[in-house]
Amino acid sequence: MVHCVGARPNFMKAAPVIRALEARGVVQSVVHSGQHYDPALSEVFFQVLGLPEPQLNLGVGSGSHATQTAAALQGLEQAFGELDPSLVLVYGDVNSTLAGALVAAKEGLPVGHVEAGLRSFDAGMPEETNRRVTDMLADLLFVTSPEGLVHLGSEGLDRERVHFVGNPMIDTLLENMGRLQPDRQREILKLDNEYGVVTLHRPANVDDVAMARRVVRTLGRVSELVQLVVPLHPRGRRTLEEAGLVSGKNLCVIEPLDYVEFMSLVRGAQLVITDSGGIQEETTVLGVPCLTMRPNTERPITLTHGTNQLVDVDRLVDRVSSVLGGEVRTPLEGPPLWDGRAGERIANIVADWLDERGDSRHG
Ligand code: UD1
């Protein structure tokens, strides 16, 4: 079987699944689309998470959605043709996820989708299309959060194909908890005792010049309340820098960090300001307040069972003040099955499924 990955958030979801499948003796390989190609967004994650070298890297790189997806479709068609996998597992909601599912389905190969059923109901978000189409094509749907079951049910997906397994991204977090060193990160970056972490990369926040200016102006005001550190994703770097995002007295713009460095930084933070999907989940588990600069989230469990709040840019300064003033959101319980064993559950289902088809020793 083949794991099809392509972009940073895929890697921490795939790692525990790969390890658990290895323990079950399933023959597997990794195909990397090359959507993310900067070492800081890709290679370092393979190293830090102990992922096996990809068998193939298709080098599709950046481009418009059509260009990037088309390159991934072509590359993956050839890769799956060569590898003839018994199953293709795709992760999350990036363009490579959609491409992997589409090629597999067209080639008559079974597809499994890890992180199925998430919906933002925001058609303007490219990932929403990727989620819907991938789920429609998948033979095995692995759901991380109970609302995913509801969404897939209301879209008429066959219940037999759907498995509620928990969250493999959280497996990776829990497994790495002992490696996190918040004090060391703070020292390396020469940060104050109290600081906030900011990550921004979504088109809605960073592609438009006027919006980027509003965001940067607001972060400037927030940095008067608490020191901010911003590991900057390459997307939007130019727009944000042109809008005035530069390191200063209380704002520290840095290169992207590796997994352990970044989670260490988050763990020691007073708060996080983000537009990422995964970070909403990770802060929920770490108990760090998270202000998500988006009008919606496909991960509402982090609002009801976690530390996350959706915040409009105009309300950000207010919200930060409240958090710094001690406003605490303490949910009664964490999200169900975010217990570090999702990878194992997925692997058991996959291995049994392959065994039933007489396929588990087949790559
Ligand atoms: C992608 C995912 C997004 C995910 C994010 C995590 C899609 C549609 N989006 O967004 O869901 O949250 O990854 O990081 O798949 N770039 C580099 N080096 C790289 C990769 C990208 O400089 O290694 C720059 C390029 O300018 C590129 C831009 O980032 O055009 C956007 O990259 P792309 O892969 O299209 O989407 P992301 O914004 O990274």
Side-chain angles (χ1 to χ4, degrees):
M1 60 144 309
V2 158
H3 303 267
C4 174
V5 297
R8 183 167 62 177
N10 292 163
F11 309 138
M12 36 293 222
K13 293 166 196 167
V17 180
I18 292 173
R19 236 186 320 277
L21 280 167
E22 205 174 290
R24 288 280 313 240
V26 174
V27 178
Q28 38 182 344
S29 51
V30 175
V31 172
H32 191 318
S33 73
Q35 173 173 348
H36 282 178
Y37 44 88
D38 278 348
L41 295 192
S42 179
E43 209 177 300
V44 291
F45 284 81
F46 276 73
Q47 286 160 3
V48 169
L49 300 175
L51 277 160
E53 278 279 303
Q55 184 123 340
L56 293 167
N57 188 321
L58 309 174
V60 307
S62 304
S64 69
H65 284 272
T67 308
Q68 187 178 63
T69 310
L73 289 171
Q74 282 187 326
L76 290 169
E77 187 179 53
Q78 196 173 343
F80 296 168
E82 281 167 28
L83 297 170
D84 186 27
S86 49
L87 173 72
V88 174
L89 269 194
V90 296
Y91 295 84
D93 56 14
V94 302
N95 286 345
S96 307
T97 311
L98 168 68
L102 193 51
V103 170
K106 294 259 185 182
E107 292 295 303
L109 301 168
V111 187
H113 183 204
V114 175
E115 204 178 75
L118 297 187
R119 298 289 180 267
S120 64
F121 300 100
D122 178 351
M125 219 182 156
E127 292 84 353
E128 185 71 356
T129 308
N130 296 344
R131 290 179 198 122
R132 284 180 182 276
V133 178
T134 303
D135 284 343
M136 237 166 59
L137 298 173
D139 300 280
L140 293 170
L141 295 109
F142 298 109
V143 171
T144 54
S145 190
E147 66 273 15
L149 299 172
V150 178
H151 299 148
L152 294 173
S154 67
E155 289 170 23
L157 272 105
D158 178 4
R159 185 69 187 82
E160 297 260 291
R161 285 149 63 190
V162 179
H163 304 272
F164 177 40
V165 291
N167 191 334
M169 192 176 227
I170 298 308
D171 290 12
T172 296
L173 177 59
L174 296 177
E175 193 182 322
N176 283 283
M177 208 66 108
R179 293 169 80 191
L180 305 188
Q181 294 185 296
D183 291 343
R184 190 169 142 66
Q185 262 319 297
R186 198 165 47 74
E187 271 166 37
I188 292 171
L189 296 168
K190 302 188 172 50
L191 299 174
D192 296 345
N193 279 340
E194 300 209 336
Y195 63 88
V197 178
V198 181
T199 80
L200 293 169
H201 73 284
R202 267 192 203 283
N205 284 328
V206 304
D207 282 4
D208 176 68
V209 175
M211 184 59 183
R213 281 212 195 99
R214 268 175 76 198
V215 167
V216 171
R217 238 190 344 259
T218 307
L219 291 178
R221 288 174 56 207
V222 171
S223 74
E224 289 163 15
L225 304 175
V226 64
Q227 188 180 36
L228 295 180
V229 55
V230 191
L232 204 51
H233 185 293
R235 183 197 191 102
R237 176 179 273 274
R238 219 185 68 213
T239 321
L240 288 170
E241 283 177 351
E242 279 172 13
L245 188 74
V246 284
S247 285
K249 190 172 139 282
N250 231 15
L251 193 131
C252 183
V253 181
I254 59 171
E255 294 298 314
L257 297 170
D258 77 28
Y259 180 77
V260 169
E261 291 167 340
F262 181 72
M263 292 318 310
S264 298
L265 197 62
V266 168
R267 191 174 190 191
Q270 245 51 45
L271 61 101
V272 170
I273 298 168
T274 191
D275 58 10
S276 149
I279 296 170
Q280 297 172 50
E281 298 180 341
E282 289 157 340
T283 46
T284 271
V285 170
L286 291 173
V288 174
C290 182
L291 302 176
T292 297
M293 287 229 287
R294 285 177 44 188
N296 49 57
T297 178
E298 63 290 335
R299 293 165 161 89
I301 195 112
T302 60
L303 305 172
T304 53
H305 291 58
T307 58
N308 191 22
Q309 305 178 49
L310 299 178
V311 188
D312 184 84
V313 64
D314 292 331
R315 304 233 29 234
L316 186 66
V317 178
D318 262 10
R319 291 281 79 227
V320 169
S321 301
S322 304
V323 170
L324 293 174
E327 179 197 88
V328 199
R329 294 163 65 82
T330 22
L332 291 177
E333 52 184 25
L337 297 193
W338 290 17
D339 58 359
R341 299 188 51 203
E344 199 182 308
R345 291 187 192 99
I346 294 169
N348 286 337
I349 293 163
V350 166
D352 291 347
W353 188 87
L354 289 171
D355 276 345
E356 268 169 38
R357 299 164 62 101
D359 248 353
S360 64
R361 311 279 151 216
H362 176 59

